[in-house]
Amino acid sequence: MLGVAVASVSFSAPLIAATAAPALAIAFWRNAMAVGVLSPVVLLKHRAALRGIGRRPLLLAVAAGALLALHFGLWLPSLRMTSVASSTALCTTTPIWTTILLRMRGHRPPRMVWAGTLLAVVGVVILTGVDMTLSPRALAGDALALGGGIAAAGYVLLGAEVRRTVSTTAYTYVCYSTTALILLVTCLVAGADLGGYSATTWLQLAALTAAAQLLGHSLLNRVVSTLGPSVTSTAILLETPGAALIAALWLGQQPPTAAYPALAVILAGLALVVRASRSA
């Protein structure tokens, strides 16, 4: 399920880059459409689970939704400012921040986890250095993507906590509803157009919702309760080569040659973290 989830979210960045709609509007619609699909399922089969959510899990699920909105609100605009490969690589540094947050909570990761995390950070520094030489706009996009990765770490950790006692469907319904509501208010305040799109754009939004949101994010929320936040967030790094490959084949978007060593270093850090997590 984790493999299917990573493959599904790999379509997210290329689809967003190809969709002719404001970034914030794309973020809103992918969550709003997901809530629309989940609503009949929740009302018909999961009403008891939804009513049975305790006060603390409910508040944590709402907080996770707020962090997910922040994640989308930062990352999606970055895809219009820097390459898909660079944006995805920086946004999927989630395990770095997950490891740091777990340490702050008293968890002691193995040394190899720290070594892999440090190696991934080195890759991030190399990649941002490459984009710094390209343009200030690309560097600003990198900063937004990095912020999106930090927000995603909080989202994963809160989701793992809620999923201890709450079903996947009930949690994702509360989380996505919160995200959609926050992004709707953000779009209205920012003046982002929420309609008037072409049929192709609506189809792309539907594909993004089905692949990345309903299949990708929902499966990540399903497996995080058993695999844990460290392995789950680290595996998301595999989205980087997947998104880069799809962007190259579909959009003809090739990252700078100097970016490839940075991507390799980030993935090497991933390998160390996964190996340490499996042996722990």
Side-chain angles (χ1 to χ4, degrees):
M1 283 192 288
L2 181 60
V4 173
V6 173
S8 299
V9 296
S10 293
F11 282 92
S12 182
L15 273 170
I16 292 166
T19 301
L24 288 175
I26 295 173
F28 162 71
W29 280 116
R30 67 181 286 177
N31 284 275
M33 288 180 174
V35 171
V37 172
L38 288 173
S39 290
V41 178
V42 171
L43 293 176
L44 291 175
K45 296 184 178 181
H46 298 274
R47 280 181 296 180
L50 193 62
R51 288 196 299 265
I53 300 178
R55 183 173 181 273
R56 183 174 182 274
L58 179 62
L59 291 176
L60 290 178
V62 170
L67 286 172
L68 184 59
L70 180 60
H71 162 72
F72 285 138
L74 293 174
W75 176 49
L76 268 67
S78 78
L79 289 164
R80 307 289 172 85
M81 302 170 70
T82 187
S83 70
V84 166
S86 295
S87 175
T88 307
L90 291 167
C91 191
T92 53
T93 54
T94 298
I96 298 173
W97 317 113
T98 302
T99 301
I100 293 172
L101 289 172
L102 285 173
R103 181 65 185 88
M104 292 171 64
R105 294 175 59 187
H107 178 72
R108 294 185 177 274
R111 291 182 179 179
M112 193 178 294
V113 170
W114 284 112
T117 300
L118 180 60
L119 191 59
V121 170
V122 171
V124 170
V125 172
I126 295 173
L127 188 59
T128 52
V130 170
D131 280 349
M132 186 182 296
T133 62
L134 294 178
S135 72
R137 178 179 174 81
L139 188 61
D142 289 347
L144 289 176
L146 199 59
I150 296 172
Y155 160 66
V156 171
L157 287 173
L158 289 179
E161 181 68 24
V162 176
R163 284 284 292 109
R164 291 181 180 181
T165 57
V166 179
S167 69
T168 304
T169 303
Y171 166 63
T172 54
Y173 188 71
V174 173
C175 181
Y176 296 168
S177 297
T178 303
T179 303
L181 180 60
I182 292 174
L183 288 171
L184 174 60
V185 173
T186 304
C187 286
L188 294 175
V189 172
D193 292 332
L194 294 174
Y197 310 143
S198 66
T200 300
T201 296
W202 285 114
L203 286 174
Q204 289 169 331
L205 288 170
L208 179 64
T209 301
Q213 195 72 23
L214 288 172
L215 193 57
H217 272 266
S218 296
L219 281 179
L220 289 174
N221 289 322
R222 170 67 178 82
V223 301
V224 71
S225 62
T226 52
L227 297 180
S230 291
V231 173
T232 302
S233 61
T234 302
I236 296 173
L237 271 175
L238 290 172
E239 180 185 350
T240 299
L245 178 61
I246 294 169
L249 295 176
W250 182 25
L251 305 176
Q253 188 180 108
Q254 297 285 351
T257 303
Y260 287 106
L263 297 177
V265 171
I266 292 174
L267 291 176
L270 158 68
L272 286 177
V273 174
V274 170
R275 184 176 178 181
S277 300
R278 290 183 64 183
S279 60

